[in-house]
């Protein structure tokens, strides 16, 4: 797969089938992850795959609760504003994201594969997040969709207990990625143009660069 196609179309895919992910694809996902840059080549990361039905069943209600806390404590005002004027294009897009995330929460236990990323004594995420992103790109090359979440941090102690993570070795749970074969289509995610979110040399200074749309499009 062309690298730009992978970069531009690896968007959050939360609506997936329950078809198991083959072991050779799982191996590729993990092997790509460990090839990511690692600060000082310390490789102080661990990756935990979850495909056991019982473990996923225990995590499912916890994730649903965590997403509810995300809506209540982080996005409450934003959701209320969007629901007040749902026909506004930006609000409509945000509400679609909310519905997608809720679907993921309702079906978290049904994802055929979960990948948890851990970093030891490193709360920055400087190495583990690039590794998880590499895993997601590798999955995309095999037609497997993914979505990244850190919502489980709301109840990290419960999650760490279920996953039997050693409590005294400094392992920090950074995130979880869900994987599955998508029911929807691959596409370039809509985003604000770069000139609205980037500066040059000084904060707030003009970028002197304009990008009117995605610089990669499907052939």
């Amino acid at each position: 797969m062309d690298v730009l196609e992978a970069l531009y179309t690896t968007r959050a895919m939360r609506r997936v089938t329950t078809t198991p992910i083959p072991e050779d694809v799982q191996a590729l996902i993990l092997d790509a992850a460990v090839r990511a840059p690692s600060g000082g080549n310390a490789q102080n990361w661990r990756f935990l795959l979850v495909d056991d039905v019982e473990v996923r069943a225990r995590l499912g209600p916890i994730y649903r609760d965590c997403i509810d806390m995300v809506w209540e404590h982080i996005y409450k005002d934003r959701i209320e504003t969007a629901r007040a004027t749902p026909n506004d294009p930006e609000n409509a897009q945000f509400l679609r994201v909310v519905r997608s995330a809720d679907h993921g929460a309702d079906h978290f236990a049904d994802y055929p594969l979960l990948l948890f990323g851990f970093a030891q004594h490193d709360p920055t995420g400087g190495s583990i997040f690039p590794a998880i992103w590499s895993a997601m790109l590798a999955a995309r090359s095999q037609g497997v969709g993914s979505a990244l979440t850190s919502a489980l941090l709301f109840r990290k102690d419960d999650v760490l207990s279920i996953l039997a993570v050693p409590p005294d070795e400094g392992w920090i749970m950074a995130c979880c990625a869900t994987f599955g074969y998508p029911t929807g289509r691959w596409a370039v995610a809509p985003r604000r143009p770069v000139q609205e979110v980037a500066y040059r040399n000084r904060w707030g200074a003009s970028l002197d660069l304009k990008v009117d749309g995605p610089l990669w499009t499907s052939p």
Side-chain angles (χ1 to χ4, degrees):
M1 175 178 288
D2 178 82
V3 64
L4 288 179
E5 180 178 1
L7 287 169
Y8 272 73
T9 63
T10 303
R11 61 191 182 93
M13 301 293 266
R14 299 184 182 91
R15 299 178 187 274
V16 302
T17 72
T18 58
T19 303
I21 308 300
E23 286 194 359
D24 61 328
V25 177
Q26 295 184 29
L28 179 67
I29 288 171
L30 286 176
D31 192 53
V34 301
R35 307 299 166 183
S38 172
N41 198 31
Q43 302 179 62
N44 57 337
W45 49 32
R46 291 294 185 272
F47 305 92
L48 200 161
L49 286 178
V50 175
D51 58 4
D52 183 88
V53 173
E54 293 184 3
V55 176
R56 287 185 284 135
R58 294 178 66 189
L59 292 171
I62 292 175
Y63 187 70
R64 176 68 268 180
D65 185 45
C66 288
I67 288 296
D68 289 339
M69 286 190 276
V70 168
W71 299 151
E72 177 64 25
H73 298 295
I74 300 177
Y75 289 106
K76 181 178 181 179
D77 292 342
R78 181 70 181 88
I79 290 175
E80 291 177 353
T81 298
R83 287 174 175 167
T85 54
N87 293 327
D88 175 84
E90 186 173 335
N91 289 343
Q93 172 63 26
F94 177 74
L95 291 175
R96 283 193 291 271
V97 172
V98 171
R99 289 193 295 270
S100 175
D102 274 333
H103 175 87
D106 290 338
H107 298 275
F108 191 79
D110 299 327
Y111 285 107
L113 186 67
L114 308 174
L115 173 60
F116 288 84
F118 297 85
Q120 191 175 38
H121 305 302
D122 179 12
T124 70
S127 294
I128 191 62
F129 278 104
I132 296 297
W133 176 235
S134 291
M136 295 167 69
L137 290 173
R140 170 68 184 94
S141 76
Q142 303 301 304
V144 176
S146 59
L148 183 70
T149 179
S150 294
L152 285 166
L153 291 174
F154 276 104
R155 291 184 57 182
K156 65 179 181 178
D157 290 343
D158 294 322
V159 176
L160 297 179
S161 176
I162 291 172
L163 299 179
V165 178
D168 55 355
E169 296 182 7
W171 291 109
I172 300 170
M173 181 177 69
C175 59
C176 172
T178 61
F179 293 91
Y181 292 99
T183 59
R185 63 185 181 89
W186 302 102
V188 179
R191 293 289 187 266
R192 295 170 63 185
V194 296
Q195 60 269 20
E196 291 186 11
V197 297
Y199 314 121
R200 189 185 299 275
N201 296 322
R202 291 180 178 83
W203 187 273
S206 174
L207 182 63
D208 294 327
L209 185 69
K210 186 176 182 181
V211 180
D212 292 324
L215 295 180
W216 177 90
T217 56
S218 178

